[in-house]
Amino acid sequence: MGLWRYAGENFLIMQAKISPVYLIFEQQHHEAKALFLALGKQIKSKKAVELLAKMEFMELFVDMLAKIHFEKENFGKSLFSPFKSLKRSLRLIQHLKLVEKTILSRVDSQGIQLESFSDYLSSQKRKGQKEAFELVIGSTLKTWDDFLEKTHQSSKGIKPLMIRTAINQLVEEELEYLQKDLKIPFSTQAFPELFESLRKIIMLENLLVHLGFNPIFVSLIHQEIQQLKENLKPWYSNHLTLQALAAFLAQKENPSKKYLDWAKDLKAEKKSLSTQIERQAIDLLQKITV
């Protein structure tokens, strides 16, 4: 498995001292650092989204370490804090990329041109890429190296039971949040928060399996969690597109009918998707939080 590759010269020595979970983190860190260097030459949306995924894993790994080192106040937040701004910037690029795909889908399905909105989105994308590029070139590799070293030191002496306990705690926290805060009808903010919680749970479950532990949920439940996460993607794309389109229309005194019609269609689609996801989410939560 790719996550288990280790490029160091002292593998056998390190293996005796460091938990295998660190080797997974180290590989992700290595790949993230390579993407970071590539973005320092030119910001590409694809590589930005790839780096975002690596950083999401690294942040979750730090959250797990924070559970193990619970006696250290603000341990996790301080360890990952140098990367927070870059992560937010990369997520903006990811969001704009999703809106671009939705525009292309509308053009293909309706046989119409949306040049002015495409131009508006391109200008927003350039701003986002410029911000990300400035964050990349404004930081140093020392930040990445320090992060790796601190994580390495914090991973010494971690026993398998400590890892499993920390992961269980993180999953339980996500489930408690969902059970407490998700009420029908969902608020608009509840949908992306649900997506984030499911993403974390899936990553944590996969990490358990990679480490040779039994997963928390049975296969059928895990499939339902994955399916709900996938079903949230169209909602997310719709929501982001509607936001961008609303901002675009707010600048127009007499917006074209094709944009007003599209906004109407997006709102109707969002309502339908919201109803479906609410039912599916509540059904799933009833199964996994009893």
Side-chain angles (χ1 to χ4, degrees), residues 23-290:
L23 304 182
I24 299 176
F25 168 83
E26 187 180 45
Q27 181 62 32
Q28 294 293 294
H29 180 279
H30 174 76
E31 293 172 4
K33 187 176 175 181
L35 288 164
F36 173 81
L37 289 170
L39 292 175
K41 298 175 183 176
Q42 184 181 8
I43 295 292
K44 296 278 190 178
S45 293
K46 182 179 179 181
K47 289 189 181 296
V49 173
E50 290 174 0
L51 178 55
L52 175 62
K54 302 293 182 186
M55 296 182 77
E56 287 173 340
F57 173 84
M58 292 192 301
E59 184 175 27
L60 193 59
F61 183 87
V62 167
D63 289 341
M64 184 195 72
L65 286 181
K67 289 297 180 187
I68 295 172
H69 297 284
F70 58 88
E71 75 285 356
K72 298 179 181 179
E73 189 175 357
N74 294 323
F75 172 82
K77 290 181 179 179
S78 62
L79 193 56
F80 192 77
S81 61
F83 301 97
K84 282 286 190 181
S85 294
L86 178 58
K87 183 190 169 191
R88 284 194 296 270
S89 186
L90 295 175
R91 178 158 287 178
L92 174 60
I93 293 175
Q94 180 196 45
H95 287 175
L96 293 173
K97 188 175 177 64
L98 290 174
V99 177
E100 279 186 328
K101 289 182 179 179
T102 309
I103 292 174
L104 291 175
S105 177
R106 181 72 174 184
V107 170
D108 290 341
S109 64
Q110 299 295 316
I112 57 176
Q113 297 302 312
L114 303 170
E115 296 98 335
S116 55
F117 183 48
S118 294
D119 290 343
Y120 166 80
L121 194 70
S122 294
S123 69
Q124 296 300 305
K125 183 178 176 181
R126 285 193 295 272
K127 289 179 183 177
Q129 290 178 331
K130 182 176 182 292
E131 177 186 321
F133 185 70
E134 289 174 349
L135 286 170
V136 170
I137 63 174
S139 58
T140 67
L141 288 179
K142 187 177 184 301
T143 303
W144 288 83
D145 295 338
D146 287 347
F147 180 50
L148 183 65
E149 176 58 24
K150 289 176 182 177
T151 307
H152 172 260
Q153 293 298 324
S154 300
S155 298
K156 289 182 177 180
I158 293 179
K159 294 179 171 57
L161 182 59
M162 297 165 70
I163 297 170
R164 180 168 181 82
T165 300
I167 290 176
N168 283 342
Q169 288 175 342
L170 289 172
V171 171
E172 286 174 7
E173 285 180 2
E174 294 301 326
L175 293 179
E176 286 174 5
Y177 156 73
L178 293 176
Q179 188 176 35
K180 177 182 177 182
D181 292 351
L182 287 185
K183 307 294 182 183
I184 290 181
F186 288 2
S187 65
T188 297
Q189 187 59 32
F191 290 92
E193 289 177 354
L194 172 62
F195 182 87
E196 283 300 301
S197 288
L198 296 177
R199 179 185 63 78
K200 290 179 182 178
I201 290 172
I202 290 169
M203 288 174 68
L204 291 166
E205 279 274 83
N206 289 340
L207 185 56
L208 278 176
V209 173
H210 275 301
L211 292 170
F213 294 111
N214 291 324
I216 296 172
F217 303 109
V218 298
S219 177
L220 184 60
I221 293 296
H222 190 74
Q223 290 173 17
E224 288 190 37
I225 293 173
Q226 180 67 47
Q227 187 59 57
L228 178 55
K229 175 176 169 286
E230 290 302 307
N231 290 348
L232 274 158
K233 289 182 179 179
W235 184 95
Y236 219 150
S237 294
N238 172 290
H239 173 67
L240 294 170
T241 303
L242 192 53
Q243 276 190 329
L245 184 59
F248 167 74
L249 292 175
Q251 300 178 358
K252 304 292 182 180
E253 290 187 8
N254 296 299
S256 171
K257 184 177 182 298
K258 62 184 177 182
Y259 292 117
L260 296 175
D261 288 343
W262 190 20
K264 183 178 179 181
D265 291 345
L266 284 169
K267 289 176 182 177
E269 180 187 38
K270 186 176 183 179
K271 183 177 181 180
S272 175
L273 290 171
S274 296
T275 300
Q276 294 173 28
I277 291 169
E278 284 174 353
R279 286 199 299 263
Q280 188 179 0
I282 295 302
D283 180 60
L284 175 61
L285 287 174
Q286 288 174 343
K287 294 177 183 178
I288 63 180
T289 57
V290 291

